[in-house]
Amino acid sequence: MITKAVIVAGGRGTRFLPATLAAPKELLPVLDTPMLHFALEEAVAAGLTEIVLVSAPGKEALEHYATLGGADLRQALVGAPETIAVREVSRTLSQASVSIAIQPEPLGLGHAISMAADTIGDEPFVTFLPDDLVVNSISVAQQLLEAYEVKPGIHMAVERVPKESTIAYGIVDCAPLSIDVLSTGRLHEVHGLVEKPQPEDAPSDLGIVGRYIFPGSIFEVIRRTPPGAKGEIQITDAMELLRQEGTSAFALEFEGNRYDVGNPLGHMRASIEFGLRRPDIGPGLRTLLERALDESR
Ligand code: G1P
């Protein structure tokens, strides 16, 4: 059973400057809940309670948030309204056992993940990129864990992306398994992986979304992975190397709505859609939006 997770939060958040001059991007809230919290909640709900948070120098507030638990948390919430949201947040933070690994320099996603090697050891683990927020009654992490049970190996979540956007994603060359082996989502066997290809070089329109399961052997492979796209050590290249060396790799076309909260427009889309669904602010937000749209015509 997989119980370990890595949440990658070492990036500099340049798309959210100037806010990220002082605040880590992962603590920017969608409505009232930090982006980081959605990843913590998804991990804990999937039984992944041993969590390594990969952070970076200057992002100490992340550590402060993720390691709030027990007495500290109760103290921080003294006088706060006992809302359902606050109770649920407390439960998640109390259940997660989070350790911090620091990525000293931004050398790429593969490099960031390798910072967790000492804590994870030789076990398989789930990796989360908090920029990708997916809403579904069965989380992507749970969907990936089911796929891993059926087919051990490397797993990555994928969804179809517009052809002109392949330069923003890891793109997967794959074929669907002939029989449906999952209760949620569709599993493909991976035959090749390429990071951020030009549209004309992309082997498909299936782009990787930030949820993975890696075997512990990924760490040794990352150490041998040369810099790739953007001159960075890419996890996509490390997965491809591990696959070429004989580890099976699978792409899960998951069920759920994905929000790219790593850029201001995607972040705003999530805030608006989540807000419209919330009984406490939905009706008010709808009125505000309708008025704003009328006035901007
Ligand atoms: C990273 C990965 C990429 C993946 C993407 C998902 O890219 O390198 O393969 O498709 O996350 O969000 P980034 O968005 O950090 O440039």
Side-chain angles (χ1 to χ4, degrees):
M1 205 177 73
I2 300 183
T3 57
K4 294 188 175 178
V6 172
I7 299 179
V8 184
R12 283 178 295 181
T14 47
R15 282 177 290 183
F16 280 103
L17 281 169
T20 46
L21 287 173
K25 171 184 70 177
E26 296 79 6
L27 289 187
L28 300 180
V30 174
L31 295 182
D32 45 17
T33 303
M35 287 157 61
L36 171 67
H37 193 86
F38 290 99
L40 286 167
E41 197 171 64
E42 187 177 333
V44 169
L48 309 163
T49 49
E50 294 173 70
I51 298 169
V52 184
L53 177 67
V54 179
S55 180
K59 298 180 82 172
E60 289 75 21
L62 282 180
E63 174 172 359
H64 183 66
Y65 187 93
T67 56
L68 268 175
D72 281 352
L73 183 60
R74 280 193 294 278
Q75 178 64 31
L77 291 174
V78 167
E82 258 280 297
T83 60
I84 296 172
V86 166
R87 273 202 299 278
E88 281 174 1
V89 163
S90 315
R91 196 172 52 229
T92 297
L93 292 176
S94 311
Q95 283 172 4
S97 150
V98 181
S99 55
I100 308 294
I102 299 292
Q103 183 188 27
E105 289 173 274
L107 299 180
L109 177 57
H111 179 257
I113 292 169
S114 74
M115 299 295 112
D118 288 346
T119 319
I120 298 288
D122 197 25
E123 288 177 47
F125 60 100
V126 182
T127 293
F128 294 77
L129 310 186
D131 275 5
D132 285 321
L133 208 169
V134 182
V135 180
N136 195 54
S137 55
I138 302 176
S139 71
V140 188
Q142 281 170 304
Q143 294 178 48
L144 279 173
L145 287 165
E146 186 198 5
Y148 181 87
E149 283 292 309
V150 180
K151 296 267 179 195
I154 310 164
H155 282 262
M156 64 212 79
V158 296
E159 72 171 7
R160 301 213 178 264
V161 299
K163 196 73 180 160
E164 66 276 12
S165 306
T166 58
I167 45 164
Y169 294 92
I171 302 291
V172 176
D173 180 7
C174 60
L177 297 194
S178 50
I179 34 168
D180 239 351
V181 289
L182 303 178
S183 61
T184 321
R186 177 136 206 237
L187 203 56
H188 302 249
E189 175 140 23
V190 174
H191 300 300
L193 290 159
V194 40
E195 178 68 7
K196 300 192 168 64
Q198 292 298 324
E200 58 275 22
D201 301 325
S204 77
D205 64 347
L206 283 172
I208 300 174
V209 167
R211 301 287 184 282
Y212 309 81
I213 297 181
F214 300 119
S217 52
I218 194 76
F219 294 123
E220 184 275 325
V221 176
I222 295 173
R223 280 195 284 277
R224 290 189 276 120
T225 303
K230 297 204 231 147
E232 296 176 348
I233 298 170
Q234 298 291 351
I235 194 62
T236 305
D237 297 342
M239 288 195 287
E240 176 60 4
L241 199 53
L242 188 56
R243 191 195 67 80
Q244 286 176 5
E245 291 177 359
T247 303
S248 303
F250 300 94
L252 170 73
E253 214 181 329
F254 58 90
E255 283 179 19
N257 260 340
R258 170 196 171 229
Y259 298 86
D260 177 2
V261 290
N263 73 73
L265 188 59
H267 193 267
M268 188 170 285
R269 176 187 158 222
S271 298
I272 292 172
E273 291 188 19
F274 286 26
L276 287 172
R277 286 199 288 266
R278 279 247 306 245
D280 55 339
I281 54 175
L285 177 59
R286 184 174 298 277
T287 308
L288 286 180
L289 287 172
E290 282 167 355
R291 193 178 307 150
L293 285 172
D294 277 349
E295 284 169 7
S296 68
R297 281 200 182 102

